Amino acid sequence: MTFLQLIRIRVAAAAPGLALAAIGLACLAVALGQPFRLPSGRPGPGFVPALIAGALVALGLLQAATARGAPPAGRGGARAGAMLCLAVAGFALLLPWVGFLPASWAAGSLALAAAPGLRLRAILAGGAALAVAATALFLGALGLPTPVIGLPR
Amino acid sequence: MTEALAMLYAGLGPALEPANLLLCLAGVALGTLVGVLPGLGPVATIALLLPVTFALPPAGALIMLAGIYYGAQYGSSTTAILLRVPGEASGIVTAQEGHLLARAGRAGPALGIAALASLLGGLVAAVVLALLLAPLARFAIAFGPAETAALMLLGVAAAVALSPAPLLAAWALAALGALLGLVGTDVAGGRPRFTFGIPELADGIGFIPLAMGLFGVAELIRALESGGAARRTLPVGSPWPARREVAAATAPALRGSLIGSAIGLLPGASTLLAALAAQAAERGLFRRRGRWGQGEMAGVAAPEAANNAAAQTSFAPLLALGLPANATMAVLAGAMFLQGIAPGPAVVAERPDLVGAIILSMLVGNAMLVALNLPFVGLWAAVLRLPLRLLAAIVIVLSCGGLWASSGSVFDLWLLLGFALLGWALARARLDPTPLLIGFTLAAPFEEALRRALVLARGDWSVFLAEPASAALLAAAATVTALAAWMRCRPG
């Protein structure tokens, strides 16, 4: 194993800890901008967040310093994760503009495409069936005040 | 004893209401379904169903969600025995002997014993829960703010100790969860914190998008990544065990019920731990007597009774102390907050009807589970042929629609996406998100207790060591952490 490979493994192992410490540092900076004590002498709104953020920085750095070997990555490729996240994003993006049915169709189709092996036509048809069922449930049966298609009033 | 009976009497009406009986049936059926299906556990299901609970009364919502949790323990045995794949974590213990029985052509009786042992575990746990809730709540209600803060720290320490993640990373995740839980307007000063000028964050981060994203969507991703193809199961046959098999399994199931009931009471304990302890006890006590390693019925009865019992008694720390013992209980705590009920000793004292109804629903639900599982075991096995891709698509569309229906906020949908990405990243880094969820749930009450303790002590931190109960709880938290560190450092 070369020195460069060792460094790479070390960085990969330390990455989660460093990321947590960085988040903690950012939170600490924000928390320190809040009053630490109120005029009454009571602990202020920045008191507990600063304590916890400080702890997060320390824990993240300690984790990064003591991490041994890169954690074995989860199995499989990124397709499932990417498609399911895109499905949620598609629903959030489309719902306010085109209504419930098209947003559900997009979400259902993208989610069906999360695993390989299904043709595009089947994915779109499956997505459409799911969208119709979801629209019937939420808008028809539960009376959700959202337009089926189009902009909300 | 009188308190327990009074609580059960108060809960009798709500528990036997037709609507609540139907919700109980829906909960246990759904629980069995998600327990059967590898990839979607009870935490994810309860998290995904949180929007539905908005439309339900508190008793009905909690009865249904509780049914999902213990129903999943039942369902998990089907997958464990027929496939050697646990539908729920605790099923991995049942899988060891149960699958060997299935391969020997005894799948049906093994499933039958699993259902009957779970019933026994459920009944014993409901009695334990009824007897212990009132005394536990009385003990906790005497706590001052210092003790309350120390108790919450112990709860987080226990969750961290039992997390499969490295200890420091688990503590860091709990801290991150606590910071997320503090987003919003500070209750004491009325100032916004970590809101970055976003008005939607003034009331804090919603529990539903956090729980749905971190556990629901992320768990679906993990299941799809580990191969969601439909599987072939072993033939089931008749689920009715022979009389001698029932007789042989009764004592192990009873011992498992007691072990599981005791373990479920511990903060941080899990159904997996209960099943492991029950099986270890059986193997240790009766190694020479049974057919361990070749298909031993006690190896099905004991862990199944234990995991169901632990699932039910883990309600005790939540209801009596306000302390979620595990991720499922943290999600249930969120469901209670959404219903305007703060879990803790006050619930036991002020809402005996609600607590009694939950306990009685467990008795009814366990009977429903046997009725659902024994005659229809073939149907549950057939569910395993459902492609996970289709399940994922149904769940995603229903989750997005449900979240929109409950909050009416597109911002919450983006939060759902953010937490799904975080859950996915944590899964890739092999980090368990449970400490984060527990940190999030306990952040606000912990902050309030800590501040009140310091105000009463005029800023003197030694108050946490001066109060005997607080010092004992902090010592317990330190011991749990030290033990967890020692276990992780031990070679092998």
Side-chain angles (χ1 to χ4, degrees), chain B residues 186-225:
Chain B
D186 170 44
V187 275
R191 287 177 67 121
R193 292 185 299 190
F194 303 117
T195 56
F196 308 105
I198 302 168
E200 286 91 343
L201 285 179
D203 288 337
I205 289 175
F207 184 82
I208 299 180
L210 181 129
M212 279 173 112
L214 214 52
F215 284 89
V217 181
E219 198 159 318
L220 279 175
I221 295 171
R222 200 174 44 77
L224 281 169
E225 280 183 346

Side-chain angles (χ1 to χ4, degrees), chain B residues 220-261:
Chain B
L220 279 175
I221 295 171
R222 200 174 44 77
L224 281 169
E225 280 183 346
S226 44
R231 296 175 165 106
R232 279 180 171 276
T233 63
L234 291 169
V236 178
S238 164
W240 301 104
R243 197 172 292 173
R244 62 177 169 77
E245 285 176 319
V246 175
T250 304
L254 195 58
R255 281 189 291 268
S257 305
L258 295 172
I259 291 171
S261 297

